[in-house]
Amino acid sequence: MDYFNCLDAFVRVAEVGNFSEVARQLRVSKSVVTSRIKQLEAHVEVPLFHRSTRNVSLSQVGQLYYDECAQLVSRANEIVDGMRSARQAPTGLLRVHGLPGLVVSHMARFLTTFSEKYPGISFDFVVNDEVIDPVKAGYDCALQIFAPISDDLIQRKLFPVHRTFCASPAYLGIHEPIAHPIDLTRHALGLYSRYPSRDKWVFENGEKQCQVELSPAFKSNSVHFLKEIALEGLGVVCLPTIACAEDINEGRLVPVLTDYWLSSYWLSAVYPKTQRNSVRLKLFLDELTLAFPHQPGWDEILASKVSFPPPNAFLGD
């Protein structure tokens, strides 16, 4: 029996709850995963899972065994990674689930520098705005703006994600001026569909607060599509500054309501507890933190054009 591979399979099935998904993550057949679990159960002489046609769950003994095994597998992987790093540059694959605003606009530039420094680390990026459980989905980490959906996950905050309303100069030149948040109700709006606030928007100006219910003409889960709508002069859109700073700085878009601010989000790396000591993941996140500080470059260039909220005006803290 390959004891470590059996333990690794056990930990993964315990976390994911599905033999087929674990087989996909390990790139082996389902029968291999099943065999490894059976060998381990025969070795410890106790069933580790309750199995049915639709569900796989830990037995009471399996739960106790999992807590110890998860730490053991994590520590073993850490030792192997450390030995490889001591002998040569780190190698291996990182599977990352990333938010489009970051990955599409800025990640390629970051990876140019990262890959020069660590050429042995390769990446599999999946880009969308779904909130996932990286354990069940088989990712090393997820870069997202919402809090972890499980207590088994760790959140490492990277940088704030600020938002601003903006439109093209052509649109603003032929439509009513926007001096107060209520003025937005008289304009064609493009809004991101995944914010938890839905259509109720809170604007703040010092100690004053204004809540407005906005009905968008265009709603999308893609901030890049919303930016195209604004650039085409179809309306006023709300965009994260990470996606529109360059267009604002070069005059293709103009921010409105610059005396008001919206609450902000944290862009965080969310990853399994069993991955916290992964050398590859640690290097990736450390370099991300250096490349994207708490005052990212795109916000620095907008500091004189857009009002940002105070540090305590964050959602998801």
Side-chain angles (χ1 to χ4, degrees):
M1 180 178 78
D2 187 332
Y3 194 46
F4 180 78
N5 280 336
C6 290
L7 287 177
D8 184 43
F10 165 67
V11 169
R12 288 174 182 265
V13 173
E15 293 174 340
V16 175
N18 186 286
F19 280 70
S20 297
E21 174 59 24
V22 171
R24 185 190 67 79
Q25 293 178 18
L26 294 174
R27 298 182 180 180
V28 298
S29 67
K30 181 182 176 182
S31 62
V32 169
V33 175
T34 302
S35 175
R36 289 176 182 176
I37 299 300
K38 287 182 177 179
Q39 289 180 59
L40 190 59
E41 288 178 323
H43 182 70
V44 298
E45 299 181 346
V46 66
L48 300 172
F49 292 101
H50 299 301
R51 299 170 176 83
S52 68
T53 54
R54 294 186 177 181
N55 189 42
V56 177
S57 61
L58 285 168
S59 65
Q60 185 175 2
V61 174
Q63 181 63 61
L64 295 173
Y65 195 48
Y66 163 75
D67 295 335
E68 299 293 334
C69 289
Q71 296 179 43
L72 180 61
V73 170
S74 177
R75 178 59 180 151
N77 286 327
E78 179 190 2
I79 291 171
V80 172
D81 283 345
M83 291 173 64
R84 288 173 175 169
S85 297
R87 182 172 53 87
Q88 59 185 15
T91 61
L93 175 69
L94 274 178
R95 296 196 73 231
V96 181
H97 185 278
L99 196 67
L102 171 66
V103 177
V104 174
S105 302
H106 302 277
M107 187 56 67
R109 191 177 309 160
F110 163 77
L111 288 178
T112 300
T113 303
F114 184 88
S115 296
E116 289 175 355
K117 195 170 183 179
Y118 303 107
I121 298 178
S122 58
F123 290 88
D124 178 4
F125 270 95
V126 172
V127 183
N128 62 53
D129 64 349
E130 297 290 338
V131 180
I132 67 160
D133 183 336
V135 174
K136 295 186 181 299
Y139 293 97
D140 293 295
C141 78
L143 303 173
Q144 61 189 46
I145 61 172
F146 299 121
I149 62 176
S150 167
D151 291 337
D152 294 326
L153 301 172
I154 295 174
Q155 178 183 24
R156 177 171 171 177
K157 294 176 180 177
L158 299 175
F159 56 80
V161 177
H162 300 306
R163 299 174 291 166
T164 186
F165 278 86
C166 55
S168 70
Y171 177 91
L172 294 174
I174 60 175
H175 290 84
E176 294 182 42
I178 305 171
H180 187 274
I182 197 67
D183 296 337
L184 291 172
T185 60
R186 295 187 287 273
H187 287 262
L189 299 178
L191 302 178
Y192 180 68
S193 60
R194 298 294 178 87
Y195 290 133
S197 54
R198 304 296 181 184
D199 295 329
K200 293 182 179 180
W201 294 71
V202 177
F203 297 81
E204 296 192 49
N205 180 355
E207 297 181 356
K208 297 180 181 179
Q209 189 177 94
C210 175
Q211 181 171 300
V212 182
E213 188 161 341
L214 300 177
S215 299
F218 308 96
K219 184 179 284 190
S220 175
N221 70 328
S222 169
V223 295
H224 293 88
F225 176 63
L226 292 174
K227 183 171 73 171
E228 291 299 315
I229 286 174
L231 290 170
E232 289 295 327
L234 295 176
V236 182
V237 303
C238 180
L239 295 173
T241 55
I242 190 174
C244 66
E246 185 175 334
D247 294 281
I248 291 175
N249 192 48
E250 296 183 3
R252 292 186 292 271
L253 292 175
V254 179
V256 300
L257 299 174
T258 55
D259 291 334
Y260 293 84
W261 66 74
L262 298 162
S263 55
S264 297
Y265 296 85
W266 280 106
L267 191 288
S268 297
V270 175
Y271 54 94
K273 289 180 179 178
T274 52
Q275 284 279 27
R276 74 170 74 191
N277 295 319
S278 165
V279 172
R280 293 189 300 274
L281 181 59
K282 184 178 185 303
L283 290 172
F284 175 64
L285 297 183
D286 286 350
E287 293 294 327
L288 270 181
T289 302
L290 291 174
F292 304 115
H294 276 12
Q295 176 76 347
W298 53 84
D299 283 344
E300 286 185 357
I301 67 175
L302 294 184
S304 62
K305 301 178 181 181
V306 176
S307 294
F308 294 138
N312 62 348
F314 283 80
L315 297 175
D317 275 350

